[in-house]
Amino acid sequence: MSLNYAIIGAGMMGQEHIRNVGLLPGASVSAIVEPNDEMAANATQLAVELGMPAPKRVQTVSDLVSANNVDAIVVVSPNDTHFGMMQELLHTNFPILLEKPTSTDVDQAWKLSNQASDRSAPVWVAMEYRYMPPVTRLIEEVRRGTVGDTKMLSIVEHRFPFLPKIDKWNRFSARTGGTMVEKCCHFFDLMRLITGSEPTRIFGSGGQDVNHLDETHDGDRADILDNALVIVDFENGVRASLDLCMFAEGSYWQEQVSVVGDAGKVEAFVPGPSRFWPGGGERASEVVISPRADKAPTREEVHVDGNLLAAGDHHGGTYFQHLKFQQLVTTGKGTPEVTLADGAKAVEMGAAAERSIRTGELVKF
Ligand SMILES: NC(=O)c1ccc[n+]([C@@H]2O[C@H](COP(=O)([O-])OP(=O)(O)OC[C@H]3O[C@@H](n4cnc5c(N)ncnc54)[C@H](O)[C@@H]3O)[C@@H](O)[C@H]2O)c1
C-alpha cells in the first residue's frame, strides 16, 4: 500500500522528515502546511528532487481534511504550536506522527494524552534518539541482561549550539518550554525506556553561560539554557544523570550513553551529524560491552548506511522510526511505540528539571 504524508511545518526538521519519507518504500509527501514562503519553496523543491510529485501547499489544517490524497500527518511546526494544532487534528482520522515535545506545558501535554485515549487512529510521538542504531543496540543488550540488574545510567550530550530557526522561536523558553523540555525530553524519554521505571525526584544545575548571550528578537533577550547537569532517581532504585553542553561541537562523540548493572557495563558512543564534521563522511558509532567477570571489554563499530546519515541529523534514527510508523499505519496492526503519555511524561520531567535549575529545589514526583 502506498502512503501519502502531509508535513505540517516544513522547516529544518520537516525537511528531514521529507528526506526520510523519500527513502521509505511506497511513500510520498503529498501536502505541506507551511506559512513561510521560502521554507515552502525549499520543501517543495526537495520533494521533487527526491522524485515525488510536487506536494500541494495548503493553508490550514482543515484543508488537509478536505484534501483527498493524504493518508498520514507529520507535525513538525514549532513546539508552542503543537497543542493548538492537535486540538484540530485529534478530531480527524489521520494517523499522526507528532514531533517532541508534545507541548511546552505539562498540563496541556497530559490533556492531549487524555483527549486521544478513545481515538482509533494512532498518534506516535517522534523520539528519534530511541531509534539510533547504537542506542537500539545498547537497549537490546540491557534487555538481554548483559549488565545484570541496571543500577546506574548516564547520558552525555556535548554538541553544537541551537541552530537558527524561523522567527528565532527556539531562543525563548516561552516558545520551546525551555531547553530541558525542548531538547532534553529525548533523554528523559530514554531514561524511562532504559530503566523501565518512573522518576521519583529530579535535581538540576544549569545556566546560559556561552551561547546566544547577545541575541535579541523584538527587544527580548534569548533565555535558553546552554549547559546543565541533571540527576534523576527512579522508583526501581536506578540513578540516572544527564550532562548537557551545547558549546562543545568540537567533541568527537556527540552522545554517550552508559548503563551499569551489577554484572557489567554497556556503552553507546554516537558522533554528531556528518554535515557538521570536516570531510562530512560517515563516522561509525560504537558500542562497548564491559563485563565485570572477565575484564575483557569488547568494542564494536555500528555502521549506518550513508544515505540514512545524509537524510538527517539523527544518525539514522528518523528513518528507522518512520519505517515502524509506516508499518503501523499500513498494516493497521500494533500500537505506537511512543505514546502521548510517554510524550507527556518526558515533558513533565523536562519541566521539573527546568524548575529545579531555575529555583534550586529538588522536584519530587
Ligand atoms: N526529534 C528531534 O530530534 C527534533 C530535531 C529538530 C526539531 N525537532 C522538532 O521539530 C519541530 C520543528 O523544529 P525545526 O527545527 O524544524 O524548526 P524550524 O523553525 O526550522 O521549522 C519550523 C517550521 O514550522 C513553520 N511554522 C510555524 N508556525 C507554523 C504553523 N502554525 N503551522 C505550520 N507550520 C508552521 C515555520 O515557518 C518553519 O518553517 C519542533 O517541535 C522541534 O522541537 C525535533
Side-chain angles (χ1 to χ4, degrees), residues 116-153:
S117 59
D118 55 357
R119 192 175 192 266
S120 54
V123 182
W124 183 313
V125 177
M127 289 287 187
E128 286 78 6
Y129 287 66
R130 285 188 180 208
Y131 300 98
M132 290 174 168
V135 175
T136 309
R137 269 283 289 122
L138 173 136
I139 294 169
E140 275 169 16
E141 289 299 334
V142 173
R143 297 276 181 272
R144 189 176 292 155
T146 303
V147 302
D149 277 344
T150 299
K151 300 296 178 191
M152 298 178 75
L153 162 62

Side-chain angles (χ1 to χ4, degrees), residues 12-13 34 76 79 82 99-100 128 165 169 186 314:
M12 191 205 75
M13 191 63 196
E34 172 52 64
V76 210
N79 300 357
H82 292 178
E99 265 298 345
K100 51 47 65 177
E128 286 78 6
K165 299 286 164 185
W169 67 268
H186 278 297
H314 298 89

Side-chain angles (χ1 to χ4, degrees), residues 43-355:
T44 304
Q45 187 186 342
L46 173 63
V48 170
E49 282 169 8
L50 293 169
M52 304 173 193
K56 189 167 179 212
R57 183 182 179 192
V58 299
Q59 296 305 316
T60 64
V61 166
S62 41
D63 292 336
L64 293 176
V65 180
S66 43
N68 59 7
N69 63 342
V70 173
D71 303 311
I73 292 191
V74 189
V75 178
V76 210
S77 49
N79 300 357
D80 58 337
T81 64
H82 292 178
F83 179 74
M85 199 85 72
M86 290 299 287
Q87 293 309 297
E88 290 186 70
L89 288 173
L90 286 176
H91 294 298
T92 70
N93 288 323
F94 292 119
I96 300 167
L97 181 63
L98 168 64
E99 265 298 345
K100 51 47 65 177
T102 56
S103 173
T104 54
D105 175 86
V106 177
D107 291 340
Q108 286 183 352
W110 281 114
K111 188 170 175 189
L112 285 182
S113 173
N114 294 333
Q115 286 173 322
S117 59
D118 55 357
R119 192 175 192 266
S120 54
V123 182
W124 183 313
V125 177
M127 289 287 187
E128 286 78 6
Y129 287 66
R130 285 188 180 208
Y131 300 98
M132 290 174 168
V135 175
T136 309
R137 269 283 289 122
L138 173 136
I139 294 169
E140 275 169 16
E141 289 299 334
V142 173
R143 297 276 181 272
R144 189 176 292 155
T146 303
V147 302
D149 277 344
T150 299
K151 300 296 178 191
M152 298 178 75
L153 162 62
S154 150
I155 300 179
V156 177
E157 183 175 68
H158 283 189
R159 57 161 270 180
F160 51 93
F162 279 121
L163 296 171
K165 299 286 164 185
I166 301 296
D167 290 335
K168 295 192 176 179
W169 67 268
N170 67 345
R171 298 302 196 254
F172 300 100
S173 296
R175 296 204 61 192
T176 65
T179 302
M180 292 293 112
V181 172
E182 143 61 15
K183 152 120 279 303
C184 300
C185 63
H186 278 297
F187 304 124
F188 298 126
D189 175 66
L190 272 186
M191 285 180 185
R192 290 181 61 245
L193 180 69
I194 293 170
T195 63
S197 186
E198 298 297 339
T200 57
R201 53 185 196 160
I202 287 187
F203 179 77
S205 168
Q208 181 187 5
D209 294 331
V210 176
N211 298 342
H212 321 305
L213 294 173
D214 300 327
E215 283 189 38
T216 56
H217 191 50
D218 291 339
D220 293 325
R221 191 177 158 278
D223 68 343
I224 281 291
L225 300 173
D226 60 18
N227 70 102
L229 297 172
V230 180
I231 290 178
V232 188
D233 282 341
F234 281 86
E235 280 170 1
N236 63 1
V238 177
R239 271 177 258 290
S241 69
L242 168 66
D243 166 346
L244 174 76
C245 179
M246 300 191 68
F247 42 89
E249 61 269 44
S251 311
Y252 189 85
W253 301 119
Q254 182 168 292
E255 283 90 21
Q256 302 179 48
V257 183
S258 154
V259 183
V260 192
D262 54 5
K265 177 163 88 168
V266 57
E267 298 161 283
F269 298 93
V270 189
S274 46
R275 69 179 169 125
F276 298 141
W277 199 254
E282 185 208 358
R283 286 180 290 155
S285 44
E286 292 184 7
V287 169
V288 179
I289 298 172
S290 311
R292 288 179 78 187
D294 53 8
K295 297 193 180 59
T298 56
R299 178 176 287 267
E300 77 181 66
E301 288 193 343
V302 180
H303 291 277
V304 178
D305 184 290
N307 290 325
L308 305 189
L309 292 177
D313 292 340
H314 298 89
H315 208 68
T318 308
Y319 174 77
F320 292 110
Q321 172 182 264
H322 261 295
L323 261 190
K324 290 190 160 190
F325 178 73
Q326 183 191 35
Q327 193 177 29
L328 174 69
V329 175
T330 51
T331 64
K333 292 191 183 128
T335 51
E337 287 186 7
V338 193
T339 64
L340 280 166
D342 292 319
K345 198 71 203 186
V347 169
E348 191 175 349
M349 291 175 73
E354 193 80 24
R355 190 168 113 209

